[in-house]
Amino acid sequence: RSVNIVAFGNERDGFSEDNQQLSLIWSYLRRSALISQIDSSLSASHVGNPVFTEYQACVFGNVRLVVHDCPVWDIFDSDWYTSRSLIGGADIIVIKYSVNDKTSFQELKDSYVPMIKKAINQCSVPVIISAVGARKNGVPCTCPLCTSDRRSCVTTSEGVQLAKELGATYLELHTLNDFYIQKYFGGVLEYFMIQSLNQKSSEKMKKRKKMQKCHRVQPPQLEQPEKMPILKGEASHYDVDLHNLLCCCQCADVAFYPEDLSTAVEAHKVILCSASHLFMLLFEVKSPADIRDAAIMRTAQSLFAVESVVPCGVPPCVPPVRVVVKDAVFCSCLPDILRFIYSGAFRWEQLEEDIKKKLKDPEKTEHVLEKVKCILKAPGKLNTVKDCRSHQIKQLYNTSLRLFFNTPVLADVIFKIQGATVPAHRAVLVARCEVMAAMFNGNYLEANSVLVPVYGVSKDTFLSFLEYLYTDSCCPASILQAMSLLICAEMYQVMRLQHICELYIITQLQSMPSRELASTSLSIVSLLKKAKFHNSDCLSTWLLHFIATNYLIFSQKPEFQDLSVEERNFVEMHRWPSNLYLKQLADYRNYVHSQKCHCTVM
């Protein structure tokens, strides 16, 4: 017997200086008298950036307790397959937030609650919403440049309303002491554990009674179908792609120089602007009226000077914009700062260490780091060291580069497809796609052209492909759209996107009920043919097993005749149920019928 609990959200106060505060889940496991034999392990998508912690323990003596604690909501954006699997296997869901972090609560309510509602609509899972912390209502900021009061608290009524939307139980835990952890939170959690165990025991007893009905002559045992091939997702190499772009300097459109113009450090406007409002101001993506932050404007004027040079070429052969770095100490550290930005701007501790080693002067080190903080500063917000720490900052590009997706701002290439035009940025394309890197840097016509025609795919599919290159994520609307995107990914040799589309198709087909599978107009055989033609070996193998496993459904469809001889032989060999079982079932039915005809009672 086991109970699976999934916890989402971060209950820590974003403005508290106590970064060692224990989590709600870990505090409960440590303090509860019912819990024993606790073990934990981390699961990570990036080194140093854990997605969730898994705890395993025993509860009520011999019941296995498995808890997945996911403090970062980004798992729904970066790995929807894992998040869906966690919710699908949960017996209890816990949602946590800090009452003093209104921004995170609003993001939870607007972005992630609809996803959770959609996932739990298919199953009845109890949900506990825990509002953690004592409210610290200070005087709100009256500055007209501030768009929101970050220190405003989440009210009780807002939490109760959220609980109503999810049909959840709402708890307020003013502090993580023994009373709130064990008696209040623990009491509710243990109640739902007992309910879950009772439900599982009831279902087990019903199944056992059903199996005991025919105790004289048992029907033939239907073996489980063969296990289908498991597709494993490929790890993201998004940060590595953009870091390599900086190293090779392909398609660079900006060059930084010291005041003596002795050396140059090349970079890319679109990457810098995605990281910093200061660079947006410097390269005229935004105006001072848009920024409205005196600190950012002062730093831009004191650090950089953009040289006015008359272009001597025709796009895309325009030379890089020359930017003079006025601060000599900052200029000496510029390669390290650019590596930090291109690697995702979340390894702040590594940047501190690199600059300390290079300068060997605490005052100069602090001076440079303050400049970097101002470069990364958001307009109208205070700039603190804590905001730059690795666990406080999100991945940069999968949110910021989205600002430049399908917009003409800083674009240096235009794709022409189905009579429409789609603007893009060579730097992003070259970094993320090897085929486009060869196309724009080799002896091809596209290398010297601004307008590039695209054939063989639709505009919507190509836009989805570009969106993946910019954001490292995609969410197809249907199986057919996922197959079109898979074909486009194979055309441009973006293997990770191809694997994501394969996983999406498989997940959608697995969740389709037999009745819908029998009536759908979607041709699985056609998907199989396309998967084979476009070298998607994993998907084609899985689809063959899927057809064999649902043999009774697909053998009645006209498309079944389109299978090749080799494919038909495979399906017949692995079909479920097997011919042997069907023969045994026919014999059993004949036996039951004969027993009714010779009833000894009558």
Side-chain angles (χ1 to χ4, degrees):
R1 296 190 299 169
S2 65
V3 176
N4 292 291
I5 300 174
V6 177
F8 294 106
N10 190 351
E11 66 276 23
R12 291 184 174 87
D13 185 352
F15 295 94
S16 173
E17 295 298 326
D18 183 12
N19 288 327
Q20 304 300 322
Q21 178 185 349
L22 293 177
S23 70
L24 172 62
I25 296 299
W26 177 239
S27 299
Y28 168 73
L29 294 175
R30 279 185 31 190
R31 297 181 183 182
S32 176
L34 300 176
I35 305 295
S36 61
Q37 301 178 19
I38 304 173
D39 186 24
S40 66
S41 62
L42 291 177
S43 173
S45 60
H46 305 282
V47 176
N49 186 20
V51 173
F52 61 79
T53 304
E54 179 178 310
Y55 301 101
Q56 295 194 18
C58 289
V59 63
F60 306 127
N62 61 347
V63 176
R64 181 168 170 261
L65 178 65
V66 180
V67 184
H68 291 92
D69 192 4
C70 311
V72 182
W73 287 102
D74 289 358
I75 187 173
F76 284 88
D77 297 325
S78 60
D79 196 350
W80 64 271
Y81 187 78
T82 299
S83 61
R84 178 172 176 170
S85 300
L86 287 175
I87 294 177
D91 298 313
I92 303 169
I93 295 175
V94 178
I95 296 176
K96 310 165 292 173
Y97 64 87
S98 169
V99 296
N100 294 303
D101 195 346
K102 187 65 171 287
T103 302
S104 298
F105 176 83
Q106 199 63 41
E107 185 180 13
L108 157 65
K109 183 179 178 182
D110 295 341
S111 302
Y112 302 112
V113 165
M115 298 183 188
I116 296 175
K117 284 178 68 176
K118 185 178 180 181
I120 65 176
N121 276 343
Q122 301 175 1
C123 54
S124 178
V125 179
V127 180
I128 302 174
I129 294 182
S130 300
V132 180
R135 292 178 177 83
K136 304 174 184 177
N137 285 312
V139 179
C141 179
T142 58
C143 173
L145 299 182
C146 295
T147 57
S148 64
D149 183 12
R150 291 184 62 194
R151 283 201 175 272
S152 61
C153 298
V154 183
T155 64
T156 301
S157 59
E158 289 175 320
V160 171
Q161 183 61 36
L162 180 65
K164 287 181 179 179
E165 289 181 24
L166 289 172
T169 301
Y170 176 73
L171 304 177
E172 280 201 356
L173 312 176
H174 300 303
T175 183
L176 298 184
N177 60 19
D178 288 340
F179 172 79
Y180 283 103
I181 292 294
Q182 294 188 51
K183 294 185 178 180
Y184 195 26
F185 174 78
V188 174
L189 188 63
E190 287 154 15
Y191 168 80
F192 284 126
M193 287 187 202
I194 294 171
Q195 292 289 94
S196 175
L197 291 171
N198 289 340
Q199 183 179 353
K200 290 181 179 180
S201 298
S202 176
E203 291 173 354
K204 189 175 181 180
M205 287 297 296
K206 288 179 181 179
K207 187 175 180 181
R208 184 179 298 173
K209 288 180 180 179
K210 189 175 180 180
M211 293 294 292
Q212 291 175 350
K213 283 186 177 180
C214 295
H215 60 278
R216 290 186 182 177
V217 178
Q218 295 294 331
Q221 295 297 316
L222 179 60
E223 296 179 356
Q224 292 297 319
E226 292 185 17
K227 288 186 177 181
M228 296 187 185
I230 299 175
L231 271 69
K232 294 183 179 180
E234 182 181 341
S236 173
H237 40 78
Y238 194 77
D239 297 340
V240 176
D241 289 343
L242 294 173
H243 182 265
N244 291 339
L245 175 67
L246 175 66
C247 296
C248 66
C249 282
Q250 292 179 344
C251 302
D253 54 4
V254 60
F256 292 94
Y257 289 87
E259 289 187 305
D260 60 3
L261 304 179
S262 56
T263 57
V265 179
E266 293 185 325
H268 307 83
K269 291 180 185 177
V270 65
I271 306 298
L272 298 177
C273 291
S274 70
S276 166
H277 289 271
L278 185 147
F279 286 120
M280 287 187 184
L281 179 66
L282 192 67
F283 300 125
E284 299 180 350
V285 173
K286 287 188 176 182
S287 66
D290 297 325
I291 299 295
R292 295 193 301 174
D293 190 302
I296 292 178
M297 289 186 278
R298 283 196 306 270
T299 305
Q301 292 171 359
S302 64
L303 268 185
F304 304 109
V306 180
E307 289 193 354
S308 299
V309 179
V310 178
C312 58
V314 177
C317 301
V318 177
V321 173
R322 297 175 64 168
V323 178
V324 176
V325 183
K326 300 177 183 179
D327 190 318
V329 178
F330 182 88
C331 188
S332 66
C333 300
L334 189 58
D336 298 301
I337 296 168
L338 290 178
R339 277 197 299 272
F340 165 72
I341 292 176
Y342 274 68
S343 297
F346 71 96
R347 298 188 180 95
W348 180 259
E349 293 85 353
Q350 183 64 46
L351 177 65
E352 284 182 322
E353 190 66 26
D354 292 342
I355 293 179
K356 284 178 183 178
K357 287 181 180 179
K358 176 168 289 187
L359 298 180
K360 299 179 181 178
D361 184 323
E363 291 186 6
K364 291 182 179 179
T365 299
E366 185 63 26
H367 168 76
V368 171
L369 291 176
E370 284 300 323
K371 296 295 183 184
V372 176
K373 291 175 197 172
C374 197
I375 287 175
L376 298 177
K377 181 180 183 291
K381 295 183 180 179
L382 293 176
N383 193 28
T384 63
V385 176
K386 186 176 68 173
D387 292 334
C388 297
R389 296 297 179 189
S390 297
H391 62 276
Q392 291 286 343
I393 201 159
K394 291 184 177 181
Q395 283 293 326
L396 169 68
Y397 300 113
N398 58 6
T399 54
S400 300
L401 266 181
R402 187 183 293 274
L403 297 173
F404 296 93
F405 165 65
N406 196 23
T407 63
V409 179
L410 298 178
D412 53 5
V413 62
I414 298 175
F415 292 102
K416 186 174 183 181
I417 178 169
Q418 291 185 331
T421 56
V422 178
H425 306 81
R426 291 172 186 262
V428 179
L429 305 179
V430 166
R432 299 281 288 138
C433 176
E434 292 182 3
V435 171
M436 288 195 175
M439 184 172 71
F440 288 125
N441 292 287
N443 297 320
Y444 296 97
L445 183 63
E446 293 84 357
N448 299 310
S449 301
V450 174
L451 194 63
V452 177
V454 177
Y455 306 103
V457 294
S458 67
K459 178 188 173 184
D460 290 340
T461 300
F462 192 70
L463 279 173
S464 297
F465 172 73
L466 289 181
E467 183 179 15
Y468 169 79
L469 297 185
Y470 276 75
T471 66
D472 201 41
S473 64
C474 76
C475 188
S478 65
I479 292 177
L480 290 178
Q481 186 183 13
M483 178 54 75
S484 299
L485 189 55
L486 183 150
I487 293 171
C488 184
E490 191 269 339
M491 182 188 306
Y492 288 100
Q493 293 296 291
V494 182
M495 304 310 296
R496 183 171 181 267
L497 176 58
Q498 193 170 347
H499 292 156
I500 290 175
C501 294
E502 289 174 343
L503 283 171
Y504 178 87
I505 293 171
I506 289 171
T507 303
Q508 293 299 309
L509 289 177
Q510 281 180 327
S511 63
M512 195 177 291
S514 297
R515 182 176 297 177
E516 184 180 349
L517 196 61
S519 60
T520 183
S521 59
L522 179 68
S523 173
I524 305 301
V525 175
S526 176
L527 292 179
L528 171 64
K529 299 293 185 184
K530 289 180 180 179
K532 279 194 169 184
F533 184 79
H534 292 282
N535 303 310
S536 182
D537 296 333
C538 295
L539 179 60
S540 61
T541 302
W542 188 91
L543 287 172
L544 270 177
H545 278 274
F546 185 69
I547 293 172
T549 302
N550 297 276
Y551 182 87
L552 296 180
I553 293 175
F554 289 109
S555 61
Q556 304 301 316
K557 289 177 174 279
E559 66 186 76
F560 190 76
Q561 306 302 321
D562 297 333
L563 291 171
S564 66
V565 175
E566 181 183 355
E567 292 165 348
R568 184 81 66 84
N569 291 338
F570 179 91
V571 170
E572 293 291 348
M573 182 181 299
H574 299 85
R575 59 172 288 180
W576 186 86
S578 65
N579 279 323
L580 177 61
Y581 170 79
L582 293 178
K583 182 178 182 304
Q584 292 174 345
L585 182 62
D587 293 341
Y588 173 75
R589 285 174 174 170
N590 290 335
Y591 169 79
V592 172
H593 181 71
S594 65
Q595 292 298 307
K596 287 182 180 179
C597 292
H598 301 88
C599 181
T600 56
V601 176
M602 298 299 293

